[in-house]
Each structure stands twice: as C-alpha cells, then as structure tokens.
Amino acid sequence: MDRPSANHRDPWFPPFFKECLEDTKFLFQSKEGTPFIFPGTGTGGWEAALTNTLSPGDKVLTFRYGQFSHLWCDMMERLGLDVQCIETRWGDGACEETIKKILSEDKDQKIKAVCVVQNETTTGVTSDIKKCREAMDAAGHPALLMVDGVSSIGAMEFRFDDWKVDLAVTGSQKAMSIPTGLGLVCASPKAMELSKSAKLNRVYYDFKDQTATNPSGNTPYTPSIPLLYGLRESIGLLRSEGMENVWARHNRLATGVRKAVAAWGLELLCDNPRWASDSLTVIKMPEGSVDTGKIVALAYNKYNMSIGVGLSKVAGKVFRIGHLGNMDDIMCLSSLAGVEMVLLDAGIKITPGAGVGAAVKYFQETAAPAIPTRAVVDI
C-alpha cells in the first residue's frame, strides 16, 4: 500500500482491477457470484445489498442480538422496509428453528429476505449461516439470504456458493488487516436478477453502474488505489495460507483465548459454545466490579494496548479481545499478558500468569512441528 495513487484511467488499471474482482470472489468462496468493490465500508455494503434487491414495503426477517445487527435493522426501517425483527438475548445468535417456523407460516411468501449478521462484534457471537440456509430450504421459502460478514469473512468458515447465500457483505478493516475504506459485496445470480426490478432508491451503491463498467476493468467513480493494492496483497496471503488453514488458525487462537478467560475465572458474554466467535472474545466483568470502559482506557493509557469497549446495552459490562486477521500465537499471548496486567491493576482477583499459562499450554501442545515454509528441528 505504500505507493502513490495513480490515474485509474491509464491502461495499467483495467487488468489490475479485474484481478481485484477475482480475488474478491475467492474471499467469498464463490465462483457463481458477482463481486463488487465499493469505496466505502461494510455499512455501505449493507445499503448496497438491500437497495439493489428490494422495493419499498418489502418484508424482511432479521434478528437483533447486538449493536451491529441493531444498526442493520435501523437501516432497513429507514429505507422503508417492513422489518420483522426477532429480539434475541445479547449473547445468543440467530435461531434456525425460528427462521424455519416463521417462513413455514408465511404462506403468501411476503418475506423477501432473511438477513443475518454472521459474527456480531458487540457480543462475540457467531450465527450458523449454513444451518440458516438449511432452515430456509426446509421451509421451502424463496426469500433471499443476506449475510453481514464484516467481522467473519476471511477469518471464519464462509462458503457463498455452497451455502446458497444471495448477498454477502464485508469490509477491508477486519480480517483483511488493511485500513477501513472498502465495502465488499458478493451477489448471487438470483440477487442480480432481482436487482433489475428492485425499486428502492440508490445512486452511489447502484449495482447497475458497476456492472456497466467492471467487466472492462473500470469503475464508475474514483477508486482507492492504495487500498486496492492492500486488498490484493491481503487476499494473496490468504491464498498462500489456504482458506481452510486460515479458518483453523482463527479457531485455534480463539480457543486459546477462551482457555485464558476460564483460567482467570471470568465468564464470556456468549455462554453457549455453539455461538462462540473465532474473531473475537467478549468477556463479562463480575457484577459490581469496575466499569469496563475504565479497563479499556487503562490498557491504552498505561500499556499502549487497544482492547474493545462494551457497546450499547453491554457498555461498561464487558470488554472485547480481537484475534482476527494477521495474528499468530506470539501476538495473541502478548495481548493476553497485557490484559492480565490491566485486570490486576483494576483490582480483579486473578492469579498472575494464569490466563497466559493456560493459553501457552494449549498453543504449545497444538502447534505444528514447524511453519510450513520452514524445516522441522529435531531436539
């Protein structure tokens, strides 16, 4: 990314941008989908998914179980959609049986889309998109399946084609480990067909402007050249590691962090293992203890470490440890050591080294004999 911007109307750009689009399909694990790269964020991707496939008054089914699912619900309502929002405990995910029941009862098929946040960053909860699709199929319902994968795609298992996802959205700043500024969308052939008749207003995020220019390697407006270079390098790293290995690495890091939390004697906001996120871990503070906003501020001010605050309904009650993107065992252990120091400073009764020790034990016991590109050393 450390390069000057360049004129995207010069001959070098079209082949470069075509490669970016193909890389994006790989990220979504799709061969059939149409990729879009918007200068924007995941929120812009949400708007693109909704406005290009739905019309005013269309009914959508969704769940609210964290700040980001809440914000997506809010966008749906403000766009003029009829939103059936299932209020869910902050710490649980999308219930597949609820999806099946509601869709089975929708005899007139008024519901046009089911919208699910795969990984709710507020709560450390991951919904099972594959099972959501199976529930939709069991109900025999034609609704679109839309997925917010902003903090999951590129870190956790996601299979656009195999799971018959119709629209998926992610951003550049999470698992891609590059700055905020790209909103990435993948649309199924079914979604693309519906975009021809969708009546919600759209301008900047109109698929039509992209499909008129992208096939020739061009864009309808100025792209962010440095971010596109970053995207290519980031997805190149994922390709070289292999997506199955990427998903396994994130699961292993997350398991190590969860073992550390258990050794501290603390609890996760997500108390059902089936929902546990491999992108981040959200930790509850004991009732009546310190405001977690102060823990986050202390980590930053004293140790130059950034951990996540609790948001909205869980503000002051939890803090968040991220473990996605460009991270390995040693980086993760460093973060856990910093968290231990902050917890001790805050007067939380933990044993120094307990969490780090639990993670060290797990990582050491589960580590490969050597990094794939390096030789095994016999001792």
Side-chain angles (χ1 to χ4, degrees):
M1 288 181 60
D2 186 16
R3 61 181 74 212
S5 193
N7 183 7
H8 64 288
R9 301 305 182 196
D10 284 343
W12 70 274
F13 183 77
F16 169 77
F17 189 63
K18 287 181 181 179
E19 291 173 349
C20 292
L21 291 169
E22 284 302 310
D23 283 346
T24 303
K25 291 178 70 172
F26 171 81
L27 175 65
F28 286 103
Q29 292 291 281
S30 177
K31 294 182 179 179
E32 300 176 2
T34 299
F36 297 99
I37 303 174
F38 291 101
T41 65
T43 304
W46 287 350
E47 187 165 328
L50 294 168
T51 58
N52 280 279
T53 56
L54 299 172
S55 297
D58 279 354
K59 188 169 186 176
V60 296
L61 173 63
T62 190
F63 295 78
R64 181 170 14 235
Y65 39 67
Q67 178 66 7
F68 295 97
S69 51
H70 163 71
L71 291 173
W72 204 9
C73 290
D74 178 65
M75 176 184 285
M76 296 168 196
E77 291 170 351
R78 291 164 69 179
L79 286 171
L81 297 170
D82 178 7
V83 183
Q84 182 174 355
C85 183
I86 307 303
E87 300 295 344
T88 304
R89 187 187 81 87
W90 287 34
D92 293 337
C95 176
E96 306 91 2
E97 285 303 313
T98 299
I99 293 174
K100 181 180 176 181
K101 181 177 184 296
I102 292 174
L103 294 184
S104 296
E105 293 172 351
D106 181 29
K107 302 302 183 183
D108 295 332
Q109 299 183 345
K110 292 182 178 180
I111 296 172
K112 302 304 180 184
V114 176
C115 303
V116 181
V117 174
Q118 184 180 21
N119 190 73
E120 176 53 76
T121 319
T122 317
T123 59
V125 163
T126 299
S127 293
D128 192 325
I129 301 302
K130 180 181 179 183
K131 288 186 178 179
C132 289
R133 166 47 73 186
E134 290 171 354
M136 295 173 67
D137 289 348
H141 201 286
L144 294 167
L145 175 57
M146 299 190 188
V147 179
D148 169 354
V150 171
S151 61
S152 57
I153 294 174
M156 292 183 285
E157 184 177 9
F158 185 83
R159 301 179 186 274
F160 186 93
D161 290 352
D162 291 350
W163 296 348
K164 294 185 286 184
V165 176
D166 291 298
L167 289 139
V169 176
T170 193
S172 53
Q173 76 276 18
K174 301 292 186 182
M176 296 297 96
S177 299
I178 57 177
T180 305
L182 296 180
L184 310 176
V185 179
C186 192
S188 70
K190 178 179 176 181
M192 292 303 297
E193 184 62 29
L194 286 172
S195 71
K196 298 175 183 177
S197 57
K199 297 294 191 296
L200 282 176
N201 289 330
R202 54 197 183 273
V203 179
Y204 184 82
Y205 291 110
D206 198 332
F207 285 174
K208 184 169 62 177
D209 294 338
Q210 299 286 342
T211 56
T213 54
N214 287 180
S216 63
N218 290 295
T219 60
Y221 34 67
T222 306
S224 173
I225 302 297
L227 283 174
L228 291 177
Y229 275 113
L231 181 69
R232 289 226 60 207
E233 289 300 317
S234 181
I235 297 179
L237 291 173
L238 296 180
R239 283 185 185 276
S240 63
E241 186 175 356
M243 289 307 298
E244 298 276 356
N245 294 328
V246 171
W247 299 333
R249 171 168 58 84
H250 282 83
N251 176 260
R252 184 168 166 275
L253 292 171
T255 302
V257 172
R258 291 192 281 267
K259 287 183 178 296
V261 175
W264 290 330
L266 299 177
E267 296 179 351
L268 305 181
L269 181 60
C270 174
D271 57 14
N272 187 335
R274 75 167 291 218
W275 304 121
S277 170
D278 287 345
S279 287
L280 80 162
T281 298
V282 180
I283 303 155
K284 292 195 297 185
M285 281 292 95
E287 198 72 31
S289 64
V290 66
D291 184 316
T292 55
K294 294 182 179 179
I295 289 177
V296 172
L298 180 60
Y300 179 78
N301 291 334
K302 186 172 182 180
Y303 299 114
N304 194 34
M305 181 175 69
S306 179
I307 53 179
V309 297
L311 299 172
S312 190
K313 286 172 62 173
V314 293
K317 301 174 183 178
V318 304
F319 67 92
R320 301 175 293 152
I321 300 175
H323 34 76
L324 79 166
N326 180 28
M327 178 169 279
D328 58 21
D329 300 2
I330 305 304
M331 296 165 69
C332 189
L333 288 168
S334 174
S335 298
L336 292 174
V339 170
E340 281 202 4
M341 290 191 290
V342 174
L343 291 174
L344 290 166
D345 287 339
I348 306 300
K349 297 185 183 302
I350 65 169
T351 301
V356 173
V360 165
K361 184 176 186 296
Y362 174 74
F363 289 152
Q364 189 274 325
E365 291 175 348
T366 59
I371 294 170
T373 56
R374 302 180 189 179
V376 175
V377 177
D378 293 323
I379 295 178

